[in-house]
């Protein structure tokens, strides 16, 4: 079946460091891909999305490119801030007229001042 | 503009009991999805409601059922509770059926003893 695999956390970085959180997926058809973020004490929020191969989603300095050849959707940010500390979830929405979402297990990011 | 609201915030039940969780979608949204998030895991899709009908369902037993009302609010019912049903239950709403955007509520923490 379809699945999403994320790198295990926690990831601890110093402020202004470069961030990469790896995400790979297994899916039939052409899924849409998403990154959600969960800040402490808050609900999940959509961070960015990409709906087809080679699309790049971006928001708040974060970017991810839909790579069909490597079935990946890695999240990157050039310079993280303390306020980026959160749990990040990679997710896919199955294509072909179905709208089931599959989430990864989440990666906790801690940014130190 | 109120976001997605869920009630109650916390709930403690005994094995074998039944529970009902409630969700009010974001204003203007007509599609509601429910997820189960076990501790340290990503959300798992339970089902999705649109036009008062269950449109999609994940791999959950029939003990999990739901309902959507004409005002688009929704309930999740779980019968014959098991210890393994202890989790955070998340509701998400979308502007329309098939829309990529999901807005999550803060969740209901269910503990089964």
């Amino acid at each position: 079946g379809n699945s999403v695999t994320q790198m295990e956390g926690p990831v601890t970085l110093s402020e202004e460091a470069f961030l990469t959180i790896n995400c790979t997926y297994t899916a039939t058809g052409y899924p849409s891909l998403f990154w959600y973020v969960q800040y402490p004490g808050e609900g999940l929020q959509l961070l960015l999305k990409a709906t087809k191969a080679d699309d790049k989603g971006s928001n708040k300095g974060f970017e991810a490119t839909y790579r069909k050849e490597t079935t990946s959707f890695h999240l990157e940010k050039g310079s993280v801030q303390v306020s980026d500390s959160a749990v990040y979830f990679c997710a896919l929405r199955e294509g072909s007229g179905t709208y089931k979402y599959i989430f990864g297990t989440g990666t906790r990011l801690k940014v130190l001042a | 503009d109120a976001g997605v609201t869920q009630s109650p915030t916390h709930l403690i039940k005994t094995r074998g009991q039944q529970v009902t969780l409630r969700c009010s979608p974001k204003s203007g949204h007509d599609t509601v999805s429910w997820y189960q998030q076990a501790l340290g895991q990503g959300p798992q899709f339970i089902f999705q409601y649109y036009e008062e009908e269950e449109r999609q369902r994940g791999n959950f037993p029939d003990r999990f059922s739901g309902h959507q009302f004409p005002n688009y609010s929704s309930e999740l019912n779980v019968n014959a509770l098991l210890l393994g049903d202890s989790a955070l239950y998340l509701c998400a709403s979308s502007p329309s059926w098939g829309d990529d955007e999901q807005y999550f509520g803060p969740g209901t923490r269910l503990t089964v003893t």
Side-chain angles (χ1 to χ4, degrees):
Chain A
N2 296 346
S3 65
V4 173
T5 303
Q6 286 181 242
M7 65 186 287
E8 297 231 354
V11 174
T12 303
L13 296 173
S14 297
E15 208 165 24
E16 299 183 6
F18 185 87
L19 169 71
T20 300
I21 299 179
N22 291 336
C23 171
T24 58
Y25 67 91
T26 301
T28 54
Y30 302 94
S32 296
L33 301 174
F34 306 83
W35 277 101
Y36 280 83
V37 58
Q38 188 170 34
Y39 298 103
E42 298 184 17
L44 282 109
Q45 302 173 26
L46 177 63
L47 181 59
L48 53 83
K49 69 177 184 182
T51 57
K52 61 183 187 296
D54 300 324
D55 266 3
K56 177 185 283 188
S58 61
N59 187 24
K60 300 181 181 179
F62 290 89
E63 292 183 342
T65 301
Y66 189 142
R67 302 284 189 200
K68 193 166 176 61
E69 65 275 13
T70 54
T71 62
S72 65
F73 192 55
H74 304 320
L75 182 67
E76 296 181 335
K77 186 175 185 182
S79 176
V80 293
Q81 306 299 312
V82 172
S83 57
D84 294 326
S85 298
V87 182
Y88 292 82
F89 292 92
C90 184
L92 70 81
R93 191 190 78 170
E94 296 179 348
S96 303
T98 68
Y99 301 113
K100 297 181 186 180
Y101 285 81
I102 297 172
F103 282 78
T105 55
T107 303
R108 182 174 298 279
L109 170 65
K110 185 173 181 179
V111 181
L112 305 176
Chain B
D1 178 23
V4 179
T5 60
Q6 293 186 241
S7 63
T9 306
H10 296 89
L11 204 50
I12 299 175
K13 290 286 189 179
T14 303
R15 266 183 306 177
Q17 287 187 318
Q18 178 263 342
V19 68
T20 297
L21 311 181
R22 295 177 176 81
C23 170
S24 291
K26 186 175 168 64
S27 178
H29 288 193
D30 63 11
T31 302
V32 173
S33 302
W34 286 93
Y35 293 83
Q36 180 193 67
Q37 186 177 16
L39 202 59
Q41 301 296 313
Q44 280 199 290
F45 177 77
I46 303 175
F47 42 53
Q48 184 177 63
Y49 276 83
Y50 171 68
E51 291 187 331
E52 302 179 49
E53 289 188 13
E54 183 184 294
R55 299 290 179 160
Q56 300 283 342
R57 190 178 181 91
N59 296 326
F60 279 81
D62 292 345
R63 298 187 297 109
F64 289 78
S65 63
H67 190 77
Q68 186 179 34
F69 298 94
N71 66 353
Y72 309 125
S73 66
S74 177
E75 288 182 349
L76 164 65
N77 301 293
V78 187
N79 294 322
L81 284 166
L82 304 174
L83 295 179
D85 295 332
S86 295
L88 181 67
Y89 288 84
L90 299 170
C91 172
S93 71
S94 303
S96 186
W97 169 250
D99 201 299
D100 271 341
E101 302 281 337
Q102 285 194 109
Y103 293 77
F104 282 82
T108 293
R109 173 73 62 187
L110 172 66
T111 302
V112 182
T113 61

